[in-house]
């Protein structure tokens, strides 16, 4: 891979923020990006791009038809400067799905998925989510007996959303652990690129097998619904069904892991606010929305491409350049959230209006599902373990080397039972 444009772009803009693949200082990186201006020049593993740092600009450009998901519009891809050897390519060139196309084709691919995640459908699966939550809390209690340290992520926050999204897709529950390992390795910057590409091929094979199974014996699940969909008289191809499934499982469990853990972390760091929630003074819905704003599960969303020059303030996104949406920086935008944007505060007077799940046509189709899961998991967790506390200082919590998700290595806790 050869990316000669990075140095030139940095010189023209007066500096580039290098996104750390090891995610060693997320707060510092967030502040540097915000300070770099409305449109910040960044470098992602040697590849230059722009990122939006202001809520208002992101809200405007996320509905701008001049920014598209089609990798064919990316100049560095067209020229061969970026190839399949770039470690982040699998998050952009991920096969044909609702996440990689625009316009009418995007609507065709998205419609059936959205129909499967209606409020009525989510209410119908609420008892299942409550059942999974109770079972995992039992496992958490067993692991934390006699004052033992237990990993809240591994035992509770991680398996819950994978169980839920697997159920929705019709995946054999015995495959959940395998899928968790596969996606973890795919996102990790420590995974060699040849292994990452092999993982993608393995996932394609797994979902192809699932599609064949559901084609032969359809059931009441999202996979069967996608196979049988005939939106506009044109059914989805096998590639399109696989692409939707692969991306939905990734987005459907990673986001909720981060939401649950980040909410617990913020509340434990602010015991006065936690007490207000437990006393019923502040609803859990407010905790969820403030967490989504303050400590977004998705750090950087890759990537859109300019089909023509786009002016943003004093800068221009040139035709063919890539644009990243840095949701964590946007969530800390003082112009939108006030001078205390860097503070977690469930009592803030202004409404918590964020865009953590996106905006416009590509808004996350699983946003409501993630909110429902967190709305069940968090109150149940603290009802069972009101004395829950971190087993290590907060400063010792470490992020996984994942450039796109705000994902922690582990979350060791003491249950206080």
């Amino acid at each position: 891979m050869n990316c000669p444009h990075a140095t030139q772009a940095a010189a023209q803009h007066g500096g580039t923020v290098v996104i750390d693949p090891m995610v060693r200082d997320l707060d510092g990186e967030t502040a540097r990006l915000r300070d770099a201006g409305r449109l910040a020049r960044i470098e992602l593993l040697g590849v230059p791009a722009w990122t939006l740092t202001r809520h208002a600009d992101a809200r405007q450009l996320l509905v701008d038809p001049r920014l598209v998901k089609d990798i064919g519009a990316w100049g560095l891809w067209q020229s061969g400067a970026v190839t399949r050897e770039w470690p982040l390519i699998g998050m952009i060139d991920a096969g044909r799905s609702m996440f990689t196309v625009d316009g009418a084709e995007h609507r065709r691919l998205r419609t059936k998925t959205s129909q499967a995640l209606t409020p009525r459908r989510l209410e119908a699966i609420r008892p299942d989510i409550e059942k999974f939550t109770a079972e995992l809390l039992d496992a958490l209690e067993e692991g934390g007996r006699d004052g033992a340290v237990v990993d809240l992520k591994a035992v509770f926050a991680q398996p819950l959303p994978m169980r839920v999204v697997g159920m929705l897709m019709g995946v054999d529950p015995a495959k959940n652990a395998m899928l968790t390992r596969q996606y973890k390795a795919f996102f990790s910057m420590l995974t060699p690129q040849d292994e990452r590409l092999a993982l993608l091929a393995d996932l394609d094979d797994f979902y192809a097998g699932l599609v064949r199974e559901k084609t032969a014996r359809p059931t009441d699940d999202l996979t069967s619904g996608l196979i049988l969909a005939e939106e506009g008289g044109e059914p989805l191809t096998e590639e399109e069904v696989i692409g939707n499934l692969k991306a939905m499982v990734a987005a459907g469990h990673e986001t909720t892991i981060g939401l649950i853990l980040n909410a617990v972390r913020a509340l434990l760091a602010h015991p006065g606010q936690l007490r207000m929630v437990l006393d019923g003074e502040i609803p859990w819905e407010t905790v969820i929305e403030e967490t989504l704003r303050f400590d977004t599960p998705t750090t950087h969303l890759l990537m859109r491409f300019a089909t023509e020059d786009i002016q943003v303030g004093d800068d221009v996104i040139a035709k063919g350049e890539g644009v990243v949406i840095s949701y964590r920086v946007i969530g800390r935008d003082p112009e939108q959230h006030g001078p205390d944007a860097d503070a977690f505060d469930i009592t803030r007077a202004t409404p918590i209006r964020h865009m953590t799940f996106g905006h416009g046509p590509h808004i996350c189709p699983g946003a409501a599902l993630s909110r429902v899961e967190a709305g069940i998991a968090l109150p149940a967790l603290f009802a069972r373990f009101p004395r829950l506390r971190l087993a290590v200082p907060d400063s010792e919590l470490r992020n996984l080397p994942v450039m796109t998700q705000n994902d922690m290595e582990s979350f060791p806790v003491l249950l206080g039972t």
Side-chain angles (χ1 to χ4, degrees), residues 257-283:
I257 294 170
L259 173 54
I260 292 172
L261 292 180
N262 294 345
V264 174
R265 183 180 190 178
L267 289 171
L268 294 182
H270 299 83
Q273 295 187 48
L274 174 58
R275 177 47 51 196
M276 295 175 71
V277 178
L278 297 183
D279 288 346
E281 297 175 36
I282 302 288

Side-chain angles (χ1 to χ4, degrees), residues 32 44 60 80 96 183 219 288 388 396 398:
R32 287 190 295 276
L44 298 161
Q60 178 179 345
R96 185 174 174 80
Y183 280 105
T219 54
I288 290 168
L388 180 77
E396 292 185 14
R398 296 285 180 265

